[in-house]
């Protein structure tokens, strides 16, 4: 429900923020449904991501000033609101010279894509990555960041009525190959590997059959990282892939990475800086977005849960 609440009083270490824009991500929906690994104490404000402008700061706040742009440093901030008062340590400053939609969608999907491309395999220009759900927010970020790093991408999507349009859009972002899940099983896959090497890294956010098919194309000793389970089916792995090809299966959760690196401000700052540089150079754009005024939040929530969505709903606050 949309409710009017009193803005909390500003404490000495607090920051009063006017929210500008906040996306609806799958994890936000899962938190509301009560199925996510982290649940906010109720009553709660939804939204884990977004960008706001600082209106006022408490007298002990040193790193932020009115006019600065901020994004959540962790999860559970409750970004689907027009204003809020937050402790300084829950916010991260971001540059104001990047587009507002890039800032609003910076802290979850691009960070997830960046970490998965850099933390699990040492990839060099010319290497390749395969991913499913390539039209998701993370998938779009993976395509663009990999392109900037000189890494080739094989992008798997579900077959759909407007497939040619989706293929065109992903190719425009820098995808090297866009294929359907059915194609993973076909001999034509051999043609792809005539021009690029087999991937050392697979990124999985679907599970089920899609995972098993992707694994078949992974190099021996390659790594598959699972960061989502859209099919709500387990990851199935043939025994032969473990024994004869020694593949590694890993998991990744951005919230956990933030917790593990909470004391290392420089590693977080380094990642944010690298992503903002890519945005400034035009190498990383916000995902395809539909901008919705806050009062139309019900329509935005419904649209975000429809199948084959390729556009992220962004609440304008």
């Amino acid at each position: 429900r949309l409710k009017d609440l009193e803005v909390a009083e500003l404490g000495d270490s607090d920051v009063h923020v006017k929210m500008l824009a906040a996306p609806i991500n799958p994890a936000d929906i899962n938190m509301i449904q009560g199925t996510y690994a982290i649940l906010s104490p109720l009553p709660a404000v939804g939204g884990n991501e977004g960008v706001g402008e600082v209106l006022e700061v408490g007298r002990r706040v040193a790193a932020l000033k009115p006019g600065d742009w901020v994004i959540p440093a962790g999860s559970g901030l409750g970004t689907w609101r027009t204003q809020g008062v937050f402790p300084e340590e829950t916010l991260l400053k971001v540059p104001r010279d990047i587009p507002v939609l890039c800032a609003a969608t910076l802290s979850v999907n691009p960070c997830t894509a960046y970490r998965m491309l850099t933390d699990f395999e040492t990839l060099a220009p010319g290497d390749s990555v395969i991913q499913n759900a390539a039209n998701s927010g993370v998938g779009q970020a993976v395509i663009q960041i990999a392109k900037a790093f000189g890494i080739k991408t094989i992008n798997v999507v579900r077959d759909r009525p407007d497939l040619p349009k989706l293929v065109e859009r992903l190719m425009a972002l820098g995808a090297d190959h866009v294929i359907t899940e059915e194609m993973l099983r076909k001999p034509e896959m051999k043609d792809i590997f005539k021009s690029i090497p087999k991937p050392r890294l697979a990124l999985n956010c679907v599970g089920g059959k899609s995972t098993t098919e992707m694994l078949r194309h992974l190099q021996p000793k390659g790594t598959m990282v699972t960061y989502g389970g859209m099919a709500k089916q387990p990851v199935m792995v043939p025994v032969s892939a473990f024994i004869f090809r020694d593949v590694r299966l890993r998991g990744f959760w951005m919230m956990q990475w933030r917790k593990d690196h909470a004391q290392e401000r420089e590693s977080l700052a380094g990642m944010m800086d690298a992503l903002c540089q890519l945005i400034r150079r035009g190498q990383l754009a916000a995902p395809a977005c539909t901008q919705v005024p806050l009062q139309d939040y019900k329509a935005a929530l419904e649209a975000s849960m429809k199948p084959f969505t390729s556009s992220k709903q962004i609440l304008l606050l």
Side-chain angles (χ1 to χ4, degrees):
R1 287 177 300 182
L2 199 55
K3 287 186 83 167
D4 285 324
L5 302 173
E6 289 288 315
V7 176
E9 275 189 34
L10 189 73
D12 289 348
S13 303
D14 289 341
V15 181
H16 183 187
V17 177
K18 173 186 184 293
M19 291 303 297
L20 301 172
I24 298 175
N25 289 318
D28 302 325
I29 303 287
N30 295 151
M31 278 177 91
I32 294 164
Q33 291 167 333
T35 59
Y36 205 59
I38 287 182
L39 300 176
S40 300
L42 300 172
V45 177
N48 287 295
E49 188 179 33
V51 63
E53 183 178 333
V54 174
L55 295 178
E56 196 184 351
V57 299
R59 60 189 180 88
R60 289 215 192 106
V61 174
L64 296 169
K65 63 183 187 306
D68 284 346
W69 276 9
V70 287
I71 62 173
S75 61
L77 196 67
T79 53
W80 300 348
R81 63 173 99 205
T82 53
Q83 294 188 26
V85 170
F86 309 106
E88 181 186 15
E89 71 271 11
T90 64
L91 301 168
L92 279 178
K93 184 177 168 180
V94 290
R96 289 188 56 140
D97 65 345
I98 62 173
V100 71
L101 292 182
C102 287
T105 55
L106 182 62
S107 63
V108 177
N109 295 337
C111 292
T112 299
Y114 184 88
R115 295 262 57 103
M116 292 195 302
L117 285 170
T118 53
D119 290 359
F120 294 93
E121 288 282 346
T122 310
L123 299 172
D127 284 345
S128 79
V129 173
I130 189 167
Q131 64 165 345
N132 55 23
N135 56 308
S136 66
V138 171
Q140 293 175 57
V142 164
I143 290 169
Q144 295 172 84
I145 296 167
K147 171 93 172 166
F149 291 171
I151 296 161
K152 308 287 184 191
T153 56
I154 302 157
N155 301 281
V156 186
V157 296
R158 284 183 297 173
D159 200 2
R160 63 194 64 213
D162 61 347
L163 184 66
K165 202 192 293 182
L166 177 61
V167 171
E168 193 181 320
R169 193 154 63 73
L170 297 182
M171 295 297 273
L173 286 179
D176 293 281
H177 298 276
V178 182
I179 59 172
T180 61
E181 298 204 327
E182 291 72 28
M183 236 198 98
L184 279 170
R185 293 188 278 284
K186 294 198 171 152
E188 292 92 295
M189 285 299 291
K190 290 194 179 109
D191 296 338
I192 289 177
F193 299 121
K194 284 175 187 164
S195 57
I196 61 173
K198 284 208 161 190
R200 299 218 327 260
L201 181 66
L203 306 177
N204 165 50
C205 101
V206 178
K209 211 173 191 177
S210 174
T211 316
T212 317
E213 296 301 338
M214 268 205 318
L215 260 180
R216 289 169 45 182
H217 302 293
L218 201 58
Q219 273 192 35
K221 294 193 184 333
T223 304
M224 185 168 78
V225 183
T226 293
Y227 68 99
M230 284 162 58
K232 296 185 169 57
Q233 290 168 350
V235 169
M236 308 288 276
V237 183
V239 170
S240 59
F242 276 132
I243 299 173
F244 304 121
R245 292 177 34 240
D246 192 17
V247 298
R248 274 170 293 216
L249 298 195
R250 299 287 305 275
F252 181 77
W253 188 29
M254 194 63 221
M255 287 186 194
Q256 189 63 47
W257 186 92
R258 285 182 194 281
K259 270 192 217 157
D260 295 346
H261 296 81
Q263 303 312 311
E264 305 165 34
R265 294 295 276 194
E266 65 281 355
S267 62
L268 181 59
M271 170 173 66
M272 288 302 185
D273 189 47
L275 291 170
C276 288
Q277 292 287 10
L278 290 174
I279 291 166
R280 285 193 196 100
R281 291 202 294 262
Q283 292 176 302
L284 178 62
C289 290
T290 303
Q291 300 177 51
V292 184
L294 180 60
Q295 61 265 30
D296 297 338
Y297 74 97
K298 281 187 177 162
L301 284 168
E302 279 168 22
S304 71
M305 291 191 281
K306 282 190 180 140
F308 301 123
T309 45
S310 285
S311 184
K312 195 176 280 295
Q313 302 291 309
I314 305 270
L315 298 171
L316 297 180
L317 309 161

